[in-house]
Each structure stands twice: as structure tokens, then as C-alpha cells.
């Protein structure tokens, strides 16, 4: 007796989401892998979260982007920056910001993807990991802007 099991092919996450001419496109499969999003997140939900994240980051960087464009830079890759693993740290930060906001949106609006019922209460009590993803996005944006990550004032 032999048993044959057919495992259905994983649905594709689709093509990269265009971020316009200035910023690099974001591949949904990259977001799913980097943010450790499981199969519970459908391709449509993932794409919608990425689109919203691109819009958020784009708004946060609008003034900075305009300054760079006025300086003659046609895209983010053209802005002088250090390189890590052959990639601009600004591009890496852009990707981190978008991916983190997308993950935060998905985890916040669809808590079932990040926790069991017992874990939902713990997550509500602790405020994680949504807060961590939002913090990571804000840090990435501040890195692009060249600003410190925290402000401290003596009282």
C-alpha cells in the first residue's frame, strides 16, 4: 500500500508594488519573508498593507524627497549614501520603513496572524509586536532624514 499526498502550490504574492519613480518597488514576497508573515495573510491583504505603508512613508519623507529632487537626484538610489552589502543605506532604510509599517498594519488589524487566543491578551497587555514594528519604521525614516532617533531634554 502506498500513500500519495499532493501539497497544493503556494499562491503567489504577485508582482512588486510600484512606489513611483523616486522610490524602489517593494516585492510582497520579500515583505512576507522579512516580516515572517505566515500563509494566513492573503496576497490581497499583504498588497493593501504595502500600498498603505508606501503612502505613509512617502508622506513622511515628502519634504526631504523634494529637496533631493531639487538637488538633481532622480531617485533614492542617486542620493549619496554609505553602502552595506552593495546597497545604499537609504534604500535599506526605505525598505525597512515600508516593511515595518506593512507588518504593523497587518498585525494590528488582523491580530489572529500573530497570536493564539492566550497570546492575544498578552499582546494587548504588552503592546507588542505592533509597537516594535512602528518604532522600527519611525527609526528608518529618521535614519533617512539624518535625525536622531530620540530627543532628550534636561528639566
Amino acid at each position: 500500500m502506498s500513500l500519495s499526498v499532493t501539497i497544493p502550490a503556494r499562491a503567489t504574492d504577485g508582482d512588486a508594488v510600484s512606489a513611483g519613480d523616486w522610490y524602489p518597488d517593494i516585492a510582497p514576497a520579500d515583505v512576507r519573508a522579512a516580516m515572517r508573515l505566515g500563509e494566513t495573510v492573503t496576497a490581497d491583504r499583504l498588497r493593501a498593507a504595502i500600498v498603505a505603508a508606501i503612502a505613509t512613508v512617502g508622506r513622511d519623507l515628502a519634504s526631504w524627497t523634494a529637496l533631493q529632487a531639487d538637488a538633481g537626484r532622480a531617485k533614492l538610489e542617486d542620493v549619496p549614501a554609505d553602502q552595506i552589502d552593495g546597497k545604499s543605506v537609504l534604500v535599506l532604510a526605505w525598505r525597512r520603513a515600508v516593511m515595518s509599517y506593512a507588518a504593523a498594519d497587518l498585525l494590528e488589524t488582523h491580530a489572529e496572524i500573530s497570536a493564539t487566543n492566550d497570546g492575544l491578551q498578552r499582546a494587548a497587555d504588552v503592546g507588542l509586536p505592533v509597537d516594535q514594528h512602528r518604532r522600527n519604521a519611525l527609526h528608518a525614516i529618521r535614519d533617512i532624514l539624518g535625525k536622531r532617533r530620540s530627543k532628550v531634554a534636561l528639566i
Side-chain angles (χ1 to χ4, degrees), residues 13-146:
D13 284 326
D15 295 331
V17 178
S18 173
D21 294 334
W22 177 261
Y23 293 107
D25 296 348
I26 301 288
D30 292 349
V31 177
R32 186 181 298 279
M35 298 292 111
R36 298 175 17 191
L37 301 171
E39 297 298 318
T40 304
V41 178
T42 66
D44 289 340
R45 284 168 57 188
L46 177 58
R47 190 170 198 81
I50 294 168
V51 167
I54 288 171
T56 298
V57 177
R59 272 191 311 274
D60 289 348
L61 295 174
S63 295
W64 181 86
T65 301
L67 288 173
Q68 297 305 318
D70 288 345
R73 296 175 182 116
K75 57 188 177 182
L76 181 60
E77 291 92 346
D78 295 340
V79 178
D82 290 337
Q83 302 282 311
I84 297 176
D85 198 25
K87 296 181 180 120
S88 162
V89 294
L90 298 175
V91 171
L92 295 172
W94 156 259
R95 291 175 51 80
R96 187 172 70 244
V98 171
M99 289 183 183
S100 295
Y101 271 138
D105 180 46
L106 288 166
L107 293 172
E108 189 171 60
T109 58
H110 307 287
E112 75 277 5
I113 67 174
S114 64
T116 63
N117 286 337
D118 292 335
L120 289 174
Q121 184 57 46
R122 282 195 309 274
D125 293 342
V126 179
L128 302 172
V130 173
D131 292 343
Q132 288 179 343
H133 285 299
R134 290 199 189 287
R135 181 206 61 215
N136 289 344
L138 290 172
H139 283 183
I141 290 166
R142 293 186 71 76
D143 288 349
I144 292 170
L145 296 173

